[in-house]
Amino acid sequence: MRASTTLSIFSYLSIEMIAIAAGEAENPAVAVKKAFRVTIVRLFVFYSATLALILAIAPMDKILSGGSPFVTVMQVVKIPGADSVLNFVVIIAALSAMNSQLYVSSRMMFSLSRAGDAPAILGKVRANGSPVNALLLSTSGIAVATIVYVLFPEQAFTLMISLSMFGAMATWLLIFVTHWFFRKRMASEGRTLSFTIPFFPVGTILGGVLMVAILVTTLWVEDFKMTLVFGVPFVVAVIGIYYFTRSRRAQSLAMDADQIQDEITGTVVKRVP
């Protein structure tokens, strides 16, 4: 039950990429609101309609027999090659998910680079505006996943899911925390936002608490134990690297400022008779 709940939550993640894509939208204020509303409606309709069709077509005993509910439905309505059809659909869905994740990760690396929080080479773009270096770095994750699958074919899927799950859930936890502070700050400054969020702040706080609860429960799920075992040290390492590079950059800027000040002072002294 805990494993299915974790996988279900994981399946709904990555909706945040709509906000990331706003940077390339012609009118972000309109496009993002419309995209979020359409996505929520589609998720509700598609999931609800799919479940309703499965329950209406296939007998409950066959659904609970352990096979794929989709294959079961196809077999009940006598669609030939049900397994092959489902495998084709899964492959297309996986390619679509991979494409969207490459887009998001490359744009995030590009943004971090332009903000000075990642190597400058990742912030370079080609003539068509594509951040190729950031995309190549993101694509390297596919190579790593392939190597993991070759070395551990039996455990590769659950291992990669458990490792990537921490990043996705931690991202949503930070979204809830950031959203709460952002709305509070805007309210304290007397600024009204055009995009209203129902049930704020209760919904935001509840979402953050539930995300922490799901992360903690992975410790008791055999397939997902690596989620926190890998994720927590990774976060600590990233925070350490961030503060180290920030301190080095601050020292470098201070030295450059002192050097400029010395040059200005020296020039002024030379001009004074």
Side-chain angles (χ1 to χ4, degrees):
M1 182 64 181
R2 288 193 295 263
S4 60
T5 301
T6 305
L7 281 175
S8 298
I9 295 297
F10 183 76
S11 301
Y12 281 94
L13 299 175
S14 296
I15 300 177
E16 70 278 1
M17 70 177 61
I18 297 174
I20 298 174
E24 300 183 21
E26 184 175 351
N27 190 347
V30 176
V32 171
K33 288 191 290 186
K34 181 179 179 180
F36 268 114
R37 288 168 179 163
V38 170
T39 300
I40 292 173
V41 172
R42 286 180 178 178
L43 282 173
F44 179 78
V45 172
F46 289 163
Y47 275 81
S48 300
T50 301
L51 290 174
L53 286 174
I54 290 174
L55 294 174
I57 295 173
M60 185 60 68
D61 57 339
K62 290 187 177 181
I63 295 176
L64 299 178
S65 61
S68 169
F70 297 99
V71 174
T72 302
V73 170
M74 292 180 183
Q75 291 174 344
V76 169
V77 296
K78 297 181 180 180
I79 295 179
D83 294 343
S84 299
V85 172
L86 184 62
N87 287 334
F88 177 77
V89 172
V90 169
I91 291 173
I92 296 300
L95 290 174
S96 175
M98 182 183 70
N99 183 57
S100 61
Q101 292 301 323
L102 284 176
Y103 171 82
V104 172
S105 58
S106 61
R107 266 54 180 183
M108 286 301 298
M109 294 307 302
F110 171 80
S111 299
L112 289 172
S113 175
R114 287 299 178 93
D117 296 322
I121 192 173
L122 299 177
K124 295 183 178 180
V125 297
R126 284 190 174 180
N128 61 358
S130 176
V132 178
N133 295 330
L135 180 60
L136 290 174
L137 178 63
S138 302
T139 307
S140 64
I142 300 175
V144 174
T146 303
I147 295 172
V148 171
Y149 178 78
V150 172
L151 296 177
F152 311 101
E154 298 295 332
Q155 300 85 17
F157 178 76
T158 54
L159 177 62
M160 296 305 296
I161 285 290
S162 62
L163 295 182
S164 59
M165 191 177 297
F166 179 86
M169 291 187 178
T171 297
W172 266 100
L173 175 60
L174 291 176
I175 288 174
F176 285 123
V177 173
T178 305
H179 178 251
W180 189 84
F181 281 101
F182 172 74
R183 292 276 175 175
K184 289 293 184 181
R185 179 66 178 271
M186 293 296 101
S188 65
E189 294 178 357
R191 299 172 62 181
T192 303
L193 300 175
S194 59
F195 193 82
T196 58
I197 301 294
F199 311 114
F200 178 83
V202 176
T204 300
I205 296 173
L206 180 61
V209 171
L210 291 176
M211 199 58 63
V212 172
I214 296 171
L215 276 170
V216 172
T217 57
T218 58
L219 291 173
W220 286 273
V221 180
E222 185 64 30
D223 293 333
F224 304 134
K225 281 187 176 181
M226 290 300 295
T227 300
L228 287 180
V229 172
F230 167 82
V232 173
F234 177 78
V235 169
V236 172
V238 170
I239 293 175
I241 294 173
Y242 172 79
Y243 281 105
F244 175 76
T245 55
R246 279 291 182 178
S247 62
R248 291 287 298 273
R249 188 179 298 115
Q251 292 176 2
S252 177
L253 291 175
M255 292 175 62
D256 292 342
D258 292 340
Q259 184 178 357
I260 294 173
Q261 184 64 37
D262 292 340
E263 291 177 358
I264 294 175
T265 303
T267 302
V268 173
V269 170
K270 288 180 181 179
R271 290 182 179 179
V272 175

